[in-house]
Amino acid sequence: MSASSYAGLKRLTKAHKMSIAGVAALSTAALAFSLVPGGVEEARAVSTAPVAVEQIVAAAHTKSLTDQAVAQQALAVKAKAKADADAKAKAEAAAKKARAEKEAATRSIVRKPLFANNLDGWIKEALWIMKKEGIPGTYQGIHRNIMRESSGNPRAINNWDINAQNGIPSKGLLQVIAPTFKTYHVKGTKFDQYDPVANIVAACNYAADRYGSMDNVNSAY
């Protein structure tokens, strides 16, 4: 160092020395603050803050979708339960209606009573059928004509009158010819001229059509 420089250094006052020391200390402190670990973590926190927010938003969105899916599933289960309940109620109502209709039909069926296998029973059975079919006639009117035509013999046959000559003899209790029996036969009775009930019903059906009732017949008809 030159003599002049040394002399200048000596001329520095105490205040000047303190000022220089203060500046150096401040510089050191500033440098130290920038290097402390806390400063590093803070910087990291600031740099990672946007990432954490995005994760929170994504998690919230996922939870919202999950809640929506659960809600939709609950609605679907509820809807299915209602549909099943409606279908069950409908099936039960249909079954109940069918049972009611069956019971009503059963009650409406008029059960056929038992009739004696004789002239009295044949006439009564014929009248029972005639009532259902709307064919007029009374016991007295039928019995009277039977006694005149066949004397109550269901196997009676006329082999001498014009019908017999034409090949269609009168047969049965009320002496009915085949064409008449076929035309006026009532469904539900036997298709047999000699059957006493079928013969009476067919004859009364014919008499009702031609004379109004078997009660109005008093001779060959």
Side-chain angles (χ1 to χ4, degrees), residues 9-44:
L9 181 60
K10 286 180 69 176
R11 288 195 294 268
L12 289 174
T13 64
K14 185 177 181 179
H16 288 144
K17 293 179 180 179
M18 291 179 65
S19 177
I20 293 171
V23 170
L26 288 174
S27 299
T28 303
L31 180 61
F33 177 79
S34 66
L35 295 176
V36 295
V40 174
E41 293 299 326
E42 185 178 353
R44 288 179 180 175

Side-chain angles (χ1 to χ4, degrees), residues 82-188:
K82 185 177 184 303
D84 291 343
D86 291 343
K88 182 178 179 181
K90 186 176 181 181
E92 290 177 349
K96 184 177 180 181
K97 182 180 179 181
R99 286 195 301 269
E101 290 176 348
K102 184 177 180 180
E103 290 174 359
T106 301
R107 288 193 299 270
S108 66
I109 295 175
V110 180
R111 299 190 180 282
K112 182 178 180 179
L114 295 176
F115 298 100
N117 188 27
N118 55 32
L119 181 58
D120 177 72
W122 300 332
I123 295 175
K124 288 179 179 177
E125 185 175 352
L127 286 168
W128 182 78
I129 296 171
M130 290 164 59
K131 183 178 180 179
K132 291 197 302 179
E133 299 295 331
I135 301 172
T138 64
Y139 185 98
Q140 292 76 15
I142 295 172
H143 186 272
R144 182 182 71 249
N145 281 284
I146 285 176
M147 297 310 294
R148 185 188 67 252
E149 294 293 332
S150 65
S151 299
N153 177 13
R155 304 297 301 179
I157 181 171
N158 186 325
N159 288 316
W160 55 269
D161 66 3
I162 188 64
N163 290 321
Q165 294 175 21
N166 291 331
I168 48 172
S170 303
K171 299 178 180 179
L173 290 175
L174 284 169
Q175 293 293 282
V176 182
I177 60 175
T180 299
F181 180 82
K182 182 178 180 180
T183 300
Y184 292 95
H185 171 261
V186 173
K187 186 177 180 179

